[in-house]
Amino acid sequence: MRRAPFARRLAALLAAALLAAFGLGGCQGSKGQETSAPPEKASSGIATKLSGPVEITFWHAMTGKHEEALRTIAENFTKEHPDIRIKLEAQGNYGDLQQKLTAAAKSHTLPVMAQVIETWVTDFRQNGLVADLTPYIENPEIGWNKQELDDIVEVFRKANQWDGKYYSLPFSKSTQILYYNTDYFQELGLQPPKTWDELKEAAKKLTGEKNGRRVIGMGFENSVGWQFHQWVKQAGGRYVDEATGEVLFDSPEGREALGFLVGLFQEEVARLAGEDQYVSNPFGRGDVGMYIGSSAGIPFVAKAAEGNIHWAAAPVPAGEEKAVAFAGNAVAVFDSAKPEEKLAAWLFIKYLLNTDNTVFWAKSTGYLPIRYSALETKEWQDYVAQNPAYGVGTRQFDYGFFDPRIPGFDAALKEIDKEIQAALLGQKSADAALRDAARAAQAAIDRAKERAK
Amino acid sequence: MVRDALSKGTIYLLLSLGGVLMLLPFLWMLSTSLKAPNQVAVLPPAWVPVPPHWENYAEALRMAPFGRYFVNSVIVTTLSTIGELLTTILAAYAFARIRFWGREVLFSLLLGTMMVPGEVLLVPNYLTLTKLGWIDTYAALIVPWTASVFAIFLYRQHLLSVPRELGYAARVDGAGDFRFLWEILVPITKPALVTIALLKAIGSWNAFLWPLIVTNSREMRTLPVGLTAFTTEAGTAYELLMAASAFVIVPMVVLFLLFQRHIVEGISRAGIKG
C-alpha cells in the first residue's frame, strides 16, 4: 500500500483531530461501555434469508480499470442474486475514503459496506461501528466451511482477525517484490540477490556508467519508511508490539537494519525515487538497476520500461530471517446496516472472494489472489506463465506479515518515515535517527491511546 | 530615444522570458498528454512527442463518465456564481451604504470567519447537510458556496469608492436603495463584479474535496473528481491524467481570455477612491 499525498493526509488528519475533539474518537457508539471491546451480540441474531429485494451501497477507493473490474463482479453477482443490487460508490483515494467514512460515522450515514484498511478497522471496532462477520462465516447455511475459510491465505486471514473474530475480510492485497533490470544483470553475470550481502554486492556492481548513463544499483521508494518494518524483521528484530503498543525497533536489530540501508547510501550505490515519487519511472528508463517496491506497481513498471529496458521480478532477499510485508485492503460491513442488508453484503463478499473472482480481480488489477486454491487454477497458472512478475508475490505467502493494527500507527509511521529519510540522506546519524524515530512513534501511539480512552 | 527603446526592449525580453516560464507547466501538460507511457518520465523531457498519441484523449475520456461530469460542473459553476453575485451585491451594499446598528462589528465578525481554515469546517458542514438531507444533491454542491466573505469585502471597497454625491443625486431623483443599487451602482462597478464572478467560476470549477465529500453517486460528481480515475495507490497514468486535464481546463481558459481585461481592472481599482 502506498501513502496518500501529504496535503490529503493532512486534511484527513485534521478531520480526525476534529472528530476526536467532538468525541467520536472516544466512545461514540459504544455508549456507556468502559472497555474497548465492542458490545457482544448473540451470534444467532443474524438474518439468513432475504424477504425481498435489497440494495446495498459499497464505498470503495478503486478508480479507472480497477473500478471497471469491480463493476463487472457486482453485475455478475446481481445476475446470480436478482434480489440484491450493489450500488458501487467510488470515494477517491484511501485518504478521501477514510475521511468520508469518518464524517459518515459521525452523522450516522455510513454505507452498508466499504473497502477498508485493517488499521482503520481497529478504530471502527473500538467505536462499535463494524459488524462482526464471524456469525455469517460460521453459519452452516450461508457461511464457509472450515476448508473454505482455511483456503484464504493465512497471512491475510490473520490480518483481519481481532480476538479471534473477523471484522473484515481481505480483498485487494499486495506485497513487496524485487524488480531488477535483466539487461544489466545479464551483462554483469548477476543473479537476483537472495541475501543482504548479495544485495549489497549487486548494488555495487550495478552502480556506474552504462551507455553514457549514470546508473545507481539499488532504488528505494520515497515511502521507504514504511518498508523499514520489513528490514527490522529481516534482521530478526521486532517492530511494534500490537498488544501493548510498545515501540521495539530501537534495538540492536533495528540498528543493524538501518545501518545496512544507510551503508548503501553512504557508498553511493543506492538512491531514493526522488521527485518521481515511485522508483518505477527511474527504473523504467534505466537509471536504477533494481529496487524493492509494491507488487501493485507492476503495471507502472511495465509501462515505464516498455521500449527502454527489459526487467523481471524476484522475491525480496532475506536477512537473518525471511520476512515480507503484505499490505492492501479489506472489506467490512457496518453495524448500522439492517439485518437483511448485512446478509446481502455478506453474500456479496462471499461471491467477491470466491476462487474465480479472486483470480479475475488479481488478473485485472495486479493485486494478489487471496485464496490458495486460486493459485491452482489453470487460468491463474496460464496468466503467471505469461506474466511471471505477478507470480512472485504469491511465492512469499509463507513468510508474510502485516503492520500492527493499532490506533496512532499511521501518525507513528509518518514520524518514522521522516527520521529514516533523514538518516538515508545523511542529515542525521543512523543511531540518532533510530532513537528519535522510536521516541516520536511511541509518542504518537500513546497520544492515540490516550484519545481512545 | 535609442536608450528608451533599448530599455523597453530589455523589459519586453524579460517579460517574455517570464511569460514562457509561467507557461512551461501548461506546455508540459499538453506535451505529456500526447506521449506514450514510456516517454512520460524520460530525461531530459521530450517536449514534442513523436509520434503524438492522440488516442490518449479518447482513452482518458473512456475511463470515467466525463460527459455527465462536465454537465454537472457547468450547472454547479453557473448557479453558484450567480448566487454569489446576488448575495455579494446585496450584502456589500448594506455594509457600504446603509447605516444600521452593529454594522462595523458585524462586518469584522464576517471578516473574522476568513481566518477559519476550510478543513476545520468540513465535518460540521457535512453534518449540517446530512441533517438537511442534502447529501448527494445539487443543493449540497451549490448552496454552501453562494456566499463569499472575500467577495463581499472586495465589492464593499468598490462601493465605498463611488462618490456619495451620486447617492444623494439618485435620492433627489426619487430612487430608493434598491433602484439606486441595481440601476446605477451595479453598471458602473461591472469590472469588479466580473472579477468576482471569474474568481468564483474558476474556484468552483476546480473544487475537489467538497464535491467528493458531499456526493456519492457517479451521477452527481464533477470534473475534478473524475480526474482521480487516473491515480492508483501504486502510481499515476500521467499521459491520461494530462489529457483529461487539458480537456477540463479548456472552458476556464476561454472564460479567462474573454474577460482578462476586466480582471486586471477589477483588482487594480479595489479600494482606490475616485
Side-chain angles (χ1 to χ4, degrees):
Chain A
M1 190 195 73
R2 306 297 179 93
R3 300 279 142 191
F6 177 71
R8 214 65 73 60
R9 297 193 65 203
L10 185 72
L13 216 73
L14 276 167
L18 189 80
L19 281 179
F22 270 73
L24 174 86
C27 49
Q28 164 92 44
S30 59
K31 288 179 193 87
Q33 291 238 338
E34 288 296 299
T35 58
S36 62
E40 279 299 322
K41 282 229 175 99
S43 63
S44 56
I46 62 165
T48 53
K49 279 213 171 55
L50 292 177
S51 57
V54 180
E55 182 183 81
I56 57 173
T57 27
F58 177 15
W59 284 5
H60 62 90
M62 300 282 96
T63 54
K65 284 175 182 147
H66 295 191
E67 189 179 6
E68 268 172 47
L70 191 57
R71 217 162 268 285
T72 309
I73 297 180
E75 277 159 19
N76 290 341
F77 173 75
T78 300
K79 273 177 213 152
E80 279 188 29
H81 296 265
D83 45 351
I84 303 175
R85 210 172 81 83
I86 314 290
K87 209 168 153 211
L88 292 175
E89 294 183 340
Q91 304 293 0
N93 63 25
Y94 292 117
D96 302 328
L97 175 62
Q98 183 182 22
Q99 213 171 341
K100 232 182 130 156
L101 285 172
T102 314
K106 180 74 188 146
S107 60
H108 308 290
T109 53
L110 280 167
V112 172
M113 62 181 288
Q115 212 176 13
V116 293
I117 290 172
E118 287 90 342
T119 44
W120 310 350
V121 179
T122 309
D123 277 335
F124 292 160
R125 186 175 154 261
Q126 276 178 354
N127 293 308
L129 295 175
V130 276
D132 179 4
L133 295 173
T134 326
Y136 295 90
I137 296 172
E138 289 174 351
N139 189 285
E141 263 176 273
I142 53 164
W144 278 328
N145 58 34
K146 173 105 174 60
Q147 193 192 343
E148 268 177 300
L149 180 62
D150 286 346
D151 188 31
I152 293 184
V153 175
E154 195 184 357
V155 54
F156 302 154
R157 204 156 20 92
K158 285 200 172 141
N160 286 282
Q161 266 181 1
W162 286 259
D163 297 335
K165 288 181 176 165
Y166 295 94
Y167 285 86
S168 54
L169 286 166
F171 173 39
S172 310
K173 289 292 171 181
S174 58
T175 183
Q176 303 280 304
I177 55 177
L178 177 88
Y179 295 91
Y180 64 97
N181 183 317
T182 49
D183 299 331
Y184 296 161
F185 270 63
Q186 255 162 34
E187 201 181 304
L188 298 163
L190 284 170
Q191 290 295 319
K194 291 206 171 61
T195 64
W196 285 18
D197 288 341
E198 285 177 27
L199 180 80
K200 190 167 199 169
E201 218 33 56
K204 277 187 197 163
K205 281 191 185 150
L206 286 161
T207 302
E209 289 275 317
K210 291 202 173 49
N211 318 324
R213 190 179 260 291
R214 171 119 187 96
V215 176
I216 298 285
M218 178 70 190
F220 289 100
E221 302 278 29
N222 281 1
S223 58
V224 58
W226 182 71
Q227 261 182 32
F228 188 54
H229 190 172
Q230 182 167 304
W231 293 97
V232 172
K233 277 198 96 119
Q234 290 214 351
R238 296 183 63 202
Y239 197 59
V240 175
D241 188 316
E242 195 178 66
T244 62
E246 196 189 345
V247 174
L248 298 167
F249 62 73
D250 189 7
S251 60
E253 293 86 2
R255 263 187 291 285
E256 199 190 328
L258 187 56
F260 175 70
L261 298 181
V262 169
L264 293 173
F265 278 78
Q266 274 171 352
E267 294 190 39
E268 296 181 1
V269 297
R271 59 165 274 189
L272 288 175
E275 74 288 352
D276 283 337
Q277 299 292 330
Y278 302 112
V279 194
S280 49
N281 282 328
F283 176 75
R285 59 176 184 249
D287 288 358
V288 171
M290 59 183 171
Y291 85 97
I292 293 176
S294 169
S295 62
I298 293 175
F300 291 93
V301 171
K303 270 185 169 183
E306 199 186 319
N308 296 334
I309 62 159
H310 295 97
W311 63 281
V316 169
E320 300 270 301
E321 286 180 23
K322 280 184 165 188
V324 180
F326 280 78
N329 56 69
V331 279
V333 179
F334 293 100
D335 216 25
S336 49
K338 298 187 190 83
E340 294 208 351
E341 290 172 335
K342 285 186 197 166
L343 170 64
W346 160 248
L347 292 174
F348 178 59
I349 290 175
K350 204 171 121 181
Y351 182 78
L352 185 67
L353 305 184
N354 74 23
T355 306
D356 290 346
N357 280 321
T358 197
V359 170
F360 172 75
W361 184 244
K363 278 175 62 180
S364 0
T365 62
Y367 286 113
L368 301 167
I370 57 136
R371 283 184 176 275
Y372 293 115
S373 60
L375 307 184
E376 314 290 326
T377 59
K378 186 172 177 320
E379 202 185 350
W380 178 252
Q381 289 187 345
D382 288 351
Y383 183 70
V384 170
Q386 299 263 316
N387 309 275
Y390 284 103
V392 174
T394 60
R395 276 149 61 192
Q396 307 182 133
F397 279 158
D398 293 344
Y399 41 95
F401 69 90
F402 47 87
D403 271 341
R405 304 155 301 171
I406 50 177
F409 188 72
D410 268 345
L413 207 54
K414 219 163 102 189
E415 301 290 346
I416 296 167
D417 197 30
K418 195 175 78 191
E419 297 297 337
I420 301 286
Q421 286 225 20
L424 297 183
L425 297 173
Q427 295 157 349
K428 224 176 201 181
S429 79
D431 283 356
L434 198 67
R435 197 180 55 235
D436 292 351
R439 198 177 292 157
Q442 189 68 68
I445 291 169
D446 290 346
R447 261 200 312 277
K449 223 194 256 171
E450 200 55 43
R451 262 208 313 269
K453 267 182 192 158
Chain B
M1 278 304 273
V2 177
R3 271 185 59 189
D4 264 6
L6 258 180
S7 65
K8 226 175 188 170
T10 324
I11 287 170
Y12 277 117
L13 188 75
L14 283 176
L15 285 178
S16 315
L17 273 177
V20 170
L21 265 179
M22 298 287 171
L23 269 178
L24 274 185
F26 182 73
L27 293 178
W28 185 82
M29 176 185 79
L30 290 182
S31 148
T32 303
S33 74
L34 295 173
K35 285 178 186 168
N38 60 344
Q39 291 174 317
V40 170
V42 171
L43 284 180
W47 285 95
V48 185
V50 188
H53 290 261
W54 295 103
E55 71 275 12
N56 283 349
Y57 281 82
E59 162 122 32
L61 294 185
R62 246 203 328 272
M63 298 265 283
F66 277 101
R68 176 76 202 206
Y69 293 165
F70 189 87
V71 172
N72 285 344
S73 275
V74 170
I75 293 174
V76 169
T77 301
T78 314
L79 291 184
S80 59
T81 305
I82 292 173
E84 182 181 300
L85 282 177
L86 285 177
T87 57
T88 299
I89 291 168
L90 295 175
Y93 183 78
F95 283 120
R97 296 273 163 168
I98 301 175
R99 283 179 199 284
F100 55 90
W101 187 83
R103 184 176 79 165
E104 299 311 315
V105 177
L106 197 61
F107 191 64
S108 314
L109 277 177
L110 211 57
L111 288 184
T113 61
M114 287 174 75
M115 311 281 182
V116 184
E119 283 81 0
V120 175
L121 293 173
L122 207 59
V123 173
N125 283 347
Y126 184 85
L127 294 183
T128 310
L129 290 189
T130 315
K131 294 243 162 69
L132 290 170
W134 282 3
I135 296 298
D136 215 21
T137 64
Y138 282 117
L141 290 169
I142 297 164
V143 176
W145 300 101
T146 50
S148 152
V149 174
F150 173 72
I152 292 170
F153 172 75
L154 189 76
Y155 195 54
R156 173 181 174 265
Q157 300 308 104
H158 271 272
L159 291 186
L160 287 178
S161 71
V162 175
R164 293 217 150 257
E165 289 71 22
L166 215 57
Y168 302 142
R171 186 135 305 175
V172 169
D173 285 344
D177 277 326
F178 212 66
R179 208 162 141 211
F180 171 56
L181 173 61
W182 290 104
E183 289 184 10
I184 298 169
L185 285 182
V186 167
I188 62 172
T189 53
K190 215 165 90 193
L193 291 174
V194 170
T195 307
I196 290 168
L198 272 180
L199 290 177
K200 178 65 188 189
I202 294 171
S204 174
W205 189 260
N206 291 334
F208 170 74
L209 197 57
W210 183 256
L212 179 75
I213 296 282
V214 301
T215 60
N216 291 323
S217 55
R218 274 155 93 89
E219 289 69 38
M220 296 306 299
R221 291 274 157 87
T222 55
L223 285 172
V225 181
L227 293 183
T228 59
F230 309 103
T231 310
T232 74
E233 54 176 323
T236 302
Y238 283 106
E239 70 288 356
L240 299 182
L241 178 62
M242 290 305 137
S245 304
F247 162 78
V248 166
I249 67 163
V250 166
M252 285 303 112
V253 172
V254 171
L255 262 190
F256 184 78
L257 290 178
L258 285 177
F259 290 106
Q260 56 168 331
R261 194 170 48 86
H262 294 292
I263 297 191
V264 176
E265 218 175 303
I267 291 183
S268 63
R269 270 185 30 180
I272 298 171
K273 289 261 179 194

